């Protein structure tokens, strides 16, 4: 279960008020993650609710990560989680129209971007496990509960790469009138537990911190905001502040999947 901010605990900035709206009438109800619902809805000071555009980043490449191959009965972090969200996403797009734009760039994280957060030993350990899993078509244990499958290398590179792509878009390239100023990255493997020296808690790389480090280095963001939430989704996601505030001050959040 996760904490959901209430209107009384609204996130306030000098330019706007963002408050939680539990089930706005204008939003679809089909399996939408709570954090995405929150990002789509703006409640103004007078209590009125309106939709605000969000860019959703995802990729079917992330379905290739399948740690359940090693466990009888499967693994809690399974491809079915993202499969269900991708299926529901088609309905969200139909219902939300221009307020939700889906983006699937072929963006893989680079070694340079990973090295801002992780040690060379960590990256080498992950790479070796993913290479063996792909070669022998067998799962390889990286950590007690973090497992590499034949497709984990590609999925992990794409998951972290999409966070970086969202940071780039929100910070520099998409601030024209009518363009989304918030992004939701719907990927797996998840990426908020991994530490500099080792994977942890189903997370191969720390996708969120890779995005934070990229915002600092590539876009000169002095203090990217990092938050943890717990809606029913295993993915990091990024929401930038409005263009009226500086676009180089993104807000990053990493949820658990429950």
């Amino acid at each position: 279960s996760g904490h959901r901010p209430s209107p009384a605990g609204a996130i306030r900035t000098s330019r706007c008020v963002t408050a939680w709206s539990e089930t706005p009438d204008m939003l679809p109800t089909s399996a939408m993650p709570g954090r995405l619902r929150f990002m789509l809805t703006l409640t103004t000071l007078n209590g009125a609710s309106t939709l605000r555009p969000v860019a959703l980043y995802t990729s079917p490449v992330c379905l290739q990560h399948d740690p359940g191959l090693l466990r009888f009965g499967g693994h809690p972090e399974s491809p079915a989680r993202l499969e269900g969200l991708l299926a529901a996403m088609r309905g969200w797009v139909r219902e939300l129209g221009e307020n939700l734009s889906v983006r699937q760039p072929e963006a893989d994280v680079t070694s340079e971007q990973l090295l801002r957060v992780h040690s060379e030993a960590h990256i080498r350990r992950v790479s070796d496990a993913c290479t063996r899993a792909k070669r022998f078509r067998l799962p390889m244990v990286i950590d007690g509960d973090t497992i590499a499958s034949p497709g984990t290398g590609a999925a992990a590179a794409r998951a972290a790469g999409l966070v970086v792509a969202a940071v780039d878009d929100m910070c520099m390239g998409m601030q024209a009138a009518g363009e989304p100023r918030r992004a939701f990255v719907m990927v797996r493997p998840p990426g908020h537990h991994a530490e500099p020296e080792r994977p942890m808690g189903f997370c191969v790389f720390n996708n969120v911190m890779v995005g934070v480090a990229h915002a600092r280095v590539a876009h000169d963001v002095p203090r990217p905001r990092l938050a943890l939430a717990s809606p029913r989704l295993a993915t990091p996601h990024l929401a930038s502040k409005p263009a009226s505030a500086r676009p180089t001050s993104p807000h990053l959040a990493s949820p658990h999947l429950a």
Side-chain angles (χ1 to χ4, degrees):
S1 63
H3 173 70
R4 295 183 174 185
S6 65
I11 301 171
R12 295 179 180 270
T13 72
S14 60
R15 305 299 181 106
C16 68
V17 176
T18 304
W20 189 270
S21 182
E22 188 67 26
T23 51
D25 292 339
M26 73 284 285
L27 289 180
T29 57
S30 54
M32 178 174 282
R35 184 69 189 180
L36 177 55
R37 183 182 299 275
F38 172 53
M39 293 169 66
L40 280 160
T41 308
L42 176 67
T43 302
T44 60
L45 288 173
N46 63 10
S49 293
T50 185
L51 288 177
R52 52 190 180 181
V54 171
L56 189 155
Y57 293 74
T58 191
S59 173
V61 172
C62 295
L63 296 172
Q64 297 179 29
H65 173 58
D66 188 1
L69 295 173
L70 194 64
R71 294 190 180 190
F72 177 77
H75 189 281
E77 212 296 281
S78 73
R81 290 171 153 175
L82 183 57
E83 287 172 347
L85 290 170
L86 291 174
M89 181 183 72
R90 291 188 284 272
W92 309 340
V93 172
R94 285 195 302 270
E95 295 182 57
L96 291 168
E98 63 183 13
N99 288 300
L100 184 66
S101 58
V102 176
R103 294 172 180 160
Q104 301 186 55
E106 295 183 0
D108 293 334
V109 72
T110 67
S111 295
E112 179 184 4
Q113 291 161 355
L114 288 175
L115 284 168
R116 294 169 184 158
V117 173
H118 294 291
S119 67
E120 290 185 4
H122 172 95
I123 297 169
R124 186 168 54 250
R125 179 184 178 189
V126 169
S127 177
D128 289 348
C130 291
T131 298
R132 292 197 307 273
K134 188 173 182 178
R135 178 185 302 163
F136 299 112
R137 309 300 300 174
L138 291 171
M140 299 289 167
V141 176
I142 310 176
D143 179 69
D145 52 8
T146 308
I147 298 166
S149 69
T152 295
R158 183 60 51 89
L162 286 176
V163 176
V164 171
V167 170
D168 283 341
D169 287 347
M170 296 303 109
C171 285
M172 67 175 187
M174 309 184 72
Q175 298 304 322
E179 289 286 356
R181 295 161 186 161
R182 292 162 178 81
F184 186 90
V185 185
M186 197 165 74
V187 296
R188 51 185 300 280
H192 58 285
H193 284 307
E195 297 186 349
E197 297 286 344
R198 67 190 184 105
M200 182 184 292
F202 310 161
C203 302
V204 176
F205 299 125
N206 198 311
N207 305 333
V208 173
M209 291 311 300
V210 169
V212 169
H214 185 70
R216 287 173 173 162
V217 173
H219 301 288
D220 197 27
V221 180
R223 292 187 301 276
R225 296 186 177 186
L226 178 67
L228 292 177
S230 300
R232 303 180 65 82
L233 179 66
T235 174
H237 47 279
L238 177 148
S240 78
K241 293 174 71 174
S244 55
R246 287 192 52 165
T248 53
S249 183
H251 177 107
L252 291 133
S254 170
H256 287 272
L257 192 153

